[in-house]
Amino acid sequence: MFGTVVVGVGIAGLARIRDLMNPMPSSPSEHLKLLGFVSRRNFGNINEAKQISLEDALRSKDIHAAFISTENRSHEETIRMFLEAGKHVLVEYPMALSSKAAHELWEMAEQKDKVLHVEHIELLTEEYKQLKKEVAGKDLVKGTLHFTGHVLDENKTGFPAFSGIARLTWLIDLFGDLTVTSATREKQNDKNYSRMTVHFQTANK
């Protein structure tokens, strides 16, 4: 069995705990054993999962991998700590708030001979796989992707583009590398409203 720990118990972290404790039959998750979770808040136990300190998670020889589900701004530091401790890391997107930091983390994982995986669960859904089949072999002439969400705390999540990075991952996976041709941002603080509009171009323009 491969010992794991979940770091952060928001929506994503709680889902990780649930899935690790109740793996689907014959899935790779059956080979993972949840040995605890780490949180700044004091929970004690969640179902049968026990809370452990970050220090214990980093030190434990029985923990081989960490699932990081904290706020965006803390991803980079947490990844570094677990890689330094010799653990594999799965992190919810985005891996870091700058491409420079992300490249440094990839290099660090390679040097440590550890897996560093950025998770984007939407790319594994049947709906997305069907979408990919539908666009295969076709040329993108023009398209619009619009989505909405609640206003995010930029101190925790980073610049607003990070709240849409999952959709950028969609587009790059479907259509290859993209170049930003323009980007604008509109804010209405009195209405707690913010909108970002970005135009991209594919490699074949």
Side-chain angles (χ1 to χ4, degrees), residues 56-107:
D56 286 346
L58 292 168
R59 267 198 310 263
S60 173
K61 288 186 168 45
D62 295 325
I63 292 175
H64 307 103
F67 291 74
I68 299 174
S69 305
T70 57
E71 66 272 7
N72 294 347
R73 70 174 178 181
S74 68
H75 286 182
E76 178 185 347
E77 180 186 4
T78 311
I79 291 169
R80 286 185 191 279
M81 286 191 291
F82 278 95
L83 287 177
E84 285 285 2
K87 318 289 187 189
H88 303 287
V89 175
L90 179 146
V91 62
E92 306 289 342
Y93 60 82
M95 178 163 57
L97 297 185
S98 76
S99 59
K100 180 176 182 288
H103 285 289
E104 288 174 358
L105 292 171
W106 286 126
E107 289 172 8

Side-chain angles (χ1 to χ4, degrees), residues 9-11 14 17 51 62 73-74 77 80 86 144 147 155 164 169-170 175 180-181 184 188 190 195 202:
V9 288
I11 294 172
L14 289 171
I17 291 172
Q51 185 165 359
D62 295 325
R73 70 174 178 181
S74 68
E77 180 186 4
R80 286 185 191 279
T144 301
F147 64 98
N155 290 325
T169 309
W170 278 28
F175 304 113
V180 178
T181 57
T184 57
Q188 296 178 21
D190 58 326
R195 178 173 70 182
T202 59

Side-chain angles (χ1 to χ4, degrees), residues 33 40 44 50 54 69 82 103 111 176 183 195 204:
K33 182 177 182 181
R40 291 187 300 266
K50 65 178 181 177
L54 177 61
S69 305
F82 278 95
H103 285 289
Q111 290 166 2
R195 178 173 70 182
N204 62 3

Side-chain angles (χ1 to χ4, degrees), residues 166-184:
R167 275 64 191 186
L168 298 186
T169 309
W170 278 28
L171 294 176
I172 292 169
D173 188 57
L174 291 171
F175 304 113
D177 287 343
L178 302 171
T179 301
V180 178
T181 57
S182 68
T184 57

Side-chain angles (χ1 to χ4, degrees), residues 11-204:
I11 294 172
L14 289 171
R16 293 280 178 205
I17 291 172
R18 178 200 66 209
D19 293 345
L20 286 166
M21 295 189 72
N22 300 285
M24 291 180 63
S26 302
S27 72
S29 296
E30 284 194 314
H31 301 288
L32 302 176
K33 182 177 182 181
L34 180 64
L35 297 179
F37 67 89
V38 173
S39 176
R40 291 187 300 266
R41 295 171 289 170
N42 186 23
F43 288 94
N45 287 1
I46 295 178
N47 296 327
E48 294 176 19
K50 65 178 181 177
Q51 185 165 359
I52 62 175
S53 70
L54 177 61
E55 293 74 20
D56 286 346
L58 292 168
R59 267 198 310 263
S60 173
K61 288 186 168 45
D62 295 325
I63 292 175
H64 307 103
F67 291 74
I68 299 174
S69 305
T70 57
E71 66 272 7
N72 294 347
R73 70 174 178 181
S74 68
H75 286 182
E76 178 185 347
E77 180 186 4
T78 311
I79 291 169
R80 286 185 191 279
M81 286 191 291
F82 278 95
L83 287 177
E84 285 285 2
K87 318 289 187 189
H88 303 287
V89 175
L90 179 146
V91 62
E92 306 289 342
Y93 60 82
M95 178 163 57
L97 297 185
S98 76
S99 59
K100 180 176 182 288
H103 285 289
E104 288 174 358
L105 292 171
W106 286 126
E107 289 172 8
M108 185 177 179
E110 285 190 14
Q111 290 166 2
K112 298 280 186 182
D113 196 27
K114 297 299 171 187
V115 173
L116 172 54
H117 173 70
V118 184
E119 180 78 319
H120 184 1
I121 198 70
E122 291 174 0
L123 299 184
L124 304 176
T125 63
E126 291 306 315
E127 292 85 354
Y128 182 80
K129 290 175 184 175
Q130 183 59 38
L131 176 62
K132 192 163 184 177
K133 284 181 186 174
E134 289 175 13
V135 303
K138 296 178 182 175
D139 288 326
L140 175 66
V141 178
K142 189 175 182 180
T144 301
L145 180 63
H146 176 79
F147 64 98
T148 59
H150 61 281
V151 177
L152 300 173
D153 180 348
E154 291 185 30
N155 290 325
K156 292 182 178 179
T157 60
F159 189 66
F162 280 97
S163 65
I165 204 164
R167 275 64 191 186
L168 298 186
T169 309
W170 278 28
L171 294 176
I172 292 169
D173 188 57
L174 291 171
F175 304 113
D177 287 343
L178 302 171
T179 301
V180 178
T181 57
S182 68
T184 57
R185 184 183 181 191
E186 175 190 347
K187 284 187 80 174
Q188 296 178 21
N189 291 331
D190 58 326
K191 296 181 180 178
N192 206 23
Y193 173 83
S194 176
R195 178 173 70 182
M196 173 168 273
T197 304
V198 186
H199 293 95
F200 298 102
Q201 203 169 62
T202 59
N204 62 3

